[in-house]
Amino acid sequence: MVPDVAAPPGPGPARGRHTSVVYSDDRAWAHHLCAFVRDGLERGERVEYFADATDPERVLSALSDAGIDAASAVARGQLAVMTAARTYLHGTGFDPDAMVGLWHEAVEAASVRGHRGLRAIGEMSWGARDVAGVDRLLEYELRVHHEVFDRLPLTAWCFYDRRLLPDACVDVLAGAHLTHRGDAAARPVLRVAPLADRPGLLLSGSAGHDTRAVVAAAAAAVRNAPADRVELDLSTLRHLDAASLATLAGAAAGRAGGTPLRVRQAPPPVRRLLELFPELGSAVEVVGR
């Protein structure tokens, strides 16, 4: 069994500090909630819970039922339960750039208060609603590994409740994390995840007409990544159609600085597409075999 204690935040690789948690009943929700919060309080970290479908009072009640003195933690400023409307959906809707900025501000605020770091749980059920910017949620999950967790003493678990989100949506979004807990996620047709050790993405499976939205999110993550170099690892990709390649190449061409997108271990079909459409070559640099 995978232990429920997350790695302490701090310098070093971000793997293990941005985790998807998939569940389908209240018991599993409470189990993950209490393990996460208890560990954070014991470490002297600031703990924040961003509720969406769950009443904040129910969160505090579940913690108290598990023997965690939530009331005292709230009183001393170590624990806060707030809503997605004040965090993810603050303003006119969801904005990945604004949310990245909020993480930096929140970690700084926790440090000023004397906490050893910040850990947070975010309920992602709002991803199934008609919310402005919700189509950028996958882009956000792909970007935060390097833009947030590589840089900050932060641990965050994204809560995905299968009762509130379509299975296909859960599987794609959970797949955008490097570590997972709870219910097993099925492997989507196209999985996109951040590279653990350098800015970029790993594409696995097959990219075609049915995965246009996933490819568009990956392209947005490529276009908006602040790193000088961004890489695509295609070593486990079975198929990439011309339209998907054009979308990714277009995103690379639109990056500030104009550096080409590095494509590592491109399968033969991708190499053939680049030969057929040489106009994409200026935005794509194939490296390795």
Side-chain angles (χ1 to χ4, degrees), residues 11-28:
R15 189 181 188 107
R17 292 194 281 110
H18 180 217
T19 299
S20 65
V21 179
V22 180
Y23 56 91
S24 52
D25 58 64
D26 292 347
R27 182 177 179 182

Side-chain angles (χ1 to χ4, degrees), residues 269-288:
V270 172
R271 293 174 181 272
R272 285 196 292 271
L273 283 173
L274 289 172
E275 292 172 357
L276 288 171
F277 301 99
E279 64 273 15
L280 301 179
S282 61
V284 177
E285 176 188 1
V286 177
V287 297

